[in-house]
Amino acid sequence: MLHEVGHVLLHPRRESFLDLDDQRDRTDPAELEADTFANNLLFPEGSSAEIAHASTIQDLIVIAARLGIGVPTVAGNAATSPASGTSSVGCDRRSPRPT
């Protein structure tokens, strides 16, 4: 939802804000900006690095509880962190991030 709010605030002249197509272009600068907007609001500074270094699902659960964010949202951040490959908690970091 915050991704879509990012579009409204960052791209006011865009024709469409709510895109339910899971196959959208992940290299589109407007999509990347909206993703960054949502991440910056959801995750405090430094938390993405902490999430990327989580070694178990339990670690992600603890981080989510501390941040007051849902576990699926934290797991999605782990799956799309800038590091390449697969994390130690089994998240494929190359998969598209659900919004």
Side-chain angles (χ1 to χ4, degrees), residues 35-66:
D35 282 345
T36 299
F37 174 85
N39 279 331
N40 288 342
L41 287 177
L42 282 173
F43 298 100
E45 188 172 330
S47 62
S48 290
E50 180 183 7
I51 293 166
H53 288 96
S55 59
T56 66
I57 300 287
Q58 185 63 32
D59 289 344
L60 295 178
I61 293 169
V62 169
I63 293 167
R66 185 175 51 75

Side-chain angles (χ1 to χ4, degrees), residues 60-85:
L60 295 178
I61 293 169
V62 169
I63 293 167
R66 185 175 51 75
L67 295 175
I69 299 171
V71 176
T73 302
V74 172
N77 184 275
T80 59
S81 71
S84 61

